């Protein structure tokens, strides 16, 4: 009796970005490679040609030295209809994965290729004061118009103006995503 070998294919991923980014979920790259922001949750699905009794996503993550990968970390996959596999991982660092499944004949099959995980870092926000162009020394009660430009790869939540006076730090919120721009002229006291 000839036994048909199990095969795993049609690997696909869907990326669910961290909530603070406000980004909608999106399909990953064709073939299963993953490029996503650290903290993203990834749904990995695949299909088998035979009935499957258990399946795992086998993860390997880069070490801190980024010269070698640590051992496989198995993550159990849910089996739907005995042939559709689904599992979830969270992006923490670069690495790779493949899918390993055991069919009802106790034959172990692996996905045809190793897929790569590229963990993207959220960049720091950038802010630039456009006006005034240099530090100012002002009289009490002086009004100062401040023009600034702020950017971030996933949006700005708030901007605070922070200044020092007589060894005291002061803070004033000039933008909050929930309240829009305040566009106020600030007065010193």
């Amino acid at each position: 009796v000839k036994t048909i070998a199990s095969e795993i294919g049609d690997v696909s991923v869907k990326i669910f970005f961290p909530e603070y980014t406000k980004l909608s979920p999106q399909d990953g790259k064709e073939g299963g490679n993953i490029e996503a922001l650290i903290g993203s949750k990834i749904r990995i699905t695949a299909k088998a040609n035979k009935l499957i009794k258990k399946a795992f996503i086998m993860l390997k993550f880069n070490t801190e030295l980024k010269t070698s990968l640590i051992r496989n970390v198995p993550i159990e996959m849910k089996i739907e209809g005995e042939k559709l596999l689904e599992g979830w991982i969270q992006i923490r660092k670069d690495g790779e994965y493949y899918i390993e499944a055991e069919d009802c004949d106790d034959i172990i099959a692996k996905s045809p290729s190793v897929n790569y995980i590229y963990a993207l870092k959220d960049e720091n926000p950038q802010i630039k004061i456009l006006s005034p162009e240099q530090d100012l020394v002002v009289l009490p009660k002086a009004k100062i118009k401040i023009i600034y430009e702020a950017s971030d790869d996933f949006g700005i939540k708030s901007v605070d103006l922070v200044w020092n006076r007589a060894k005291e730090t002061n803070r004033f919120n000039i933008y909050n995503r929930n309240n829009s721009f305040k566009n106020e002229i600030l007065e010193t006291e």
Side-chain angles (χ1 to χ4, degrees), residues 109-156:
K110 294 181 181 179
S111 50
S113 63
V114 171
N115 294 294
Y116 297 97
I117 300 169
Y118 301 103
L120 306 175
K121 294 180 183 172
D122 185 3
E123 299 297 328
N124 290 327
Q126 302 293 314
I127 190 157
K128 182 178 181 183
I129 296 177
L130 304 173
S131 176
E133 295 180 11
Q134 68 276 339
D135 289 347
L136 298 176
V137 176
V138 296
L139 296 172
K141 305 284 182 187
K143 293 183 179 185
I144 305 166
K145 183 175 182 179
I146 297 175
I147 300 172
Y148 67 93
E149 186 177 81
S151 63
D152 183 67
D153 48 354
F154 294 103
I156 300 291

Side-chain angles (χ1 to χ4, degrees), residues 95-110:
E96 57 188 44
Y97 76 95
Y98 62 92
I99 297 171
E100 187 173 281
E102 185 176 334
D103 67 22
C104 294
D105 295 321
D106 297 326
I107 297 172
I108 294 176
K110 294 181 181 179

